[in-house]
Amino acid sequence: MSSIWKESGTLAARFWEKGILEDCPVYDMHGHMGPHDSIYFKRCSAEDMVAHLRRIGVRRFVFSHDQALAGLMRNEQVVEICKQFPDILRMYISVNPHFSENIKEDLAKYDQWKPYVAGLKFLADYHEVPVTDKAYEYAWKFADERGIPVLNHTWGTSPYNGGKVMYEAISRYPNAKTFLGHCIFGEWDYAAKCVNDFDNVYLELTAVPGERNRIEKLLEATSSKKILLGTDLPWFDEYQAVGGVLSAKISDEEKRDILYRNAQEIFGDDK
């Protein structure tokens, strides 16, 4: 067993003992909700997910509903879900580039939907529209003018949201707080370049804890101040993601940055 789990008093040792850290809240910046036709989810309803989140000490869970991303429900319905659990749930407005009128209608309600709305979510790979396409321009400009978060699904070499495309989009809209979901998985150098060249860019760790030593390498290339925790729950599990961060060979202060401090800094008073 790695010595990191044996060192008395460390975050990892305490978590392995109790399964929760009272003084280290978790902010999950990349979640989903609802059933999906290609996979069985043990827990995908708001009630079941929140119960699971509370067990591990999640303070905020920011999600985009899979049905909203697919255009099968509207974002205003997701707001109503958040209202059921106002202490923990926050949402991204799902932006589907194939429904331009919906985008404008929903963004017009951004202020009305506070405090439940936390930013925008782009899923360009699945919608098969590059994030640099004109179909995203209205939403990008909205985020850029307000300096609000945009969580992008990213993946290495993708023509829709790979490293080159993301770098171009960030260059156009540097004031938006761009979260690189999955850290442009596989294009690690591009991920570091985006973070290091622009102030408002953050790496988000969904799927990354499964890559041995990848968290350590990301910190070597960037900084713990520019990395956020995410899980893709219910696709992945909170314990796997949090355990991956706590198991990494980085300092407890760096782990706190990733698990909650950076998110608190971004979202200000909404803690």
Side-chain angles (χ1 to χ4, degrees):
M1 180 179 289
S2 170
S3 62
I4 195 170
W5 301 324
K6 297 179 180 179
E7 299 173 14
S8 178
T10 63
L11 291 178
R14 291 194 287 124
F15 182 77
W16 256 252
E17 180 182 357
K18 295 184 177 180
I20 192 170
L21 295 167
E22 291 84 356
D23 65 334
C24 183
V26 175
Y27 281 64
D28 185 343
M29 294 293 101
H30 186 167
H32 293 278
M33 191 175 289
H36 200 281
D37 60 7
S38 65
I39 190 171
Y40 165 74
F41 291 134
K42 179 177 175 60
R43 55 182 77 86
C44 62
S45 70
E47 293 80 5
D48 290 343
M49 291 176 68
V50 168
H52 184 63
L53 293 165
R54 294 195 196 286
R55 281 193 288 271
I56 195 172
V58 171
R59 179 79 56 80
R60 284 283 185 269
F61 179 69
V62 191
F63 71 101
S64 51
H65 202 291
D66 280 332
Q67 300 298 301
L69 287 166
L72 300 176
M73 68 185 294
R74 294 298 301 272
N75 284 295
E76 61 188 1
Q77 296 172 268
V78 186
V79 175
E80 295 305 311
I81 294 173
C82 291
K83 289 180 180 179
Q84 298 174 32
F85 303 95
D87 63 319
I88 190 169
L89 295 184
R90 296 292 183 268
M91 62 174 280
Y92 295 108
I93 292 178
S94 296
V95 174
N96 187 322
H98 300 294
F99 297 92
S100 59
E101 289 306 311
N102 289 359
I103 295 172
K104 293 180 180 179
E105 290 176 7
D106 289 349
L107 295 186
K109 299 175 183 176
Y110 191 92
D111 292 327
Q112 175 185 329
W113 288 344
K114 289 179 179 178
Y116 306 107
V117 63
L120 316 182
K121 170 63 185 283
F122 296 171
L123 195 65
D125 253 347
Y126 291 77
H127 293 141
E128 298 185 333
V129 178
V131 293
T132 50
D133 191 90
K134 190 173 180 60
Y136 282 106
E137 185 177 43
Y138 187 89
W140 269 123
K141 286 184 175 179
F142 183 90
D144 193 60
E145 290 170 359
R146 290 170 171 246
I148 62 176
V150 180
L151 172 61
N152 283 267
H153 171 92
T154 68
W155 207 261
T157 72
S158 167
Y160 307 111
N161 45 38
K164 183 177 180 181
V165 184
M166 288 310 309
Y167 193 90
E168 182 180 344
I170 295 165
S171 300
R172 293 183 189 177
Y173 309 104
N175 295 316
K177 291 182 175 67
T178 301
F179 299 169
L180 300 176
H182 310 287
C183 300
I184 321 183
F185 199 97
E187 284 193 277
W188 311 115
D189 290 343
Y190 244 124
K193 180 176 176 59
C194 288
V195 166
N196 294 333
D197 286 0
F198 299 96
D199 292 336
N200 283 334
V201 179
Y202 298 81
L203 302 179
E204 181 278 310
L205 289 178
T206 292
V208 173
E211 291 283 301
R212 186 175 180 85
N213 298 325
R214 180 54 56 190
I215 292 175
E216 291 90 336
K217 291 177 181 178
L218 288 173
L219 262 68
E220 290 174 5
T222 59
S223 163
S224 66
K225 301 292 185 183
K226 300 302 290 290
I227 299 178
L228 303 168
L229 179 78
T231 63
D232 249 352
L233 184 75
W235 293 85
F236 294 101
D237 189 83
E238 295 288 329
Y239 284 94
Q240 186 262 354
V242 173
V245 172
L246 293 175
S247 300
K249 296 176 182 178
I250 59 178
S251 72
D252 275 4
E253 292 304 303
E254 290 169 321
K255 293 173 185 178
R256 288 182 183 275
D257 287 341
I258 295 169
L259 292 174
Y260 69 95
R261 284 176 178 162
N262 296 335
Q264 287 184 341
E265 180 70 22
I266 290 168
F267 292 106
D269 293 336
D270 185 22
K271 298 177 182 179

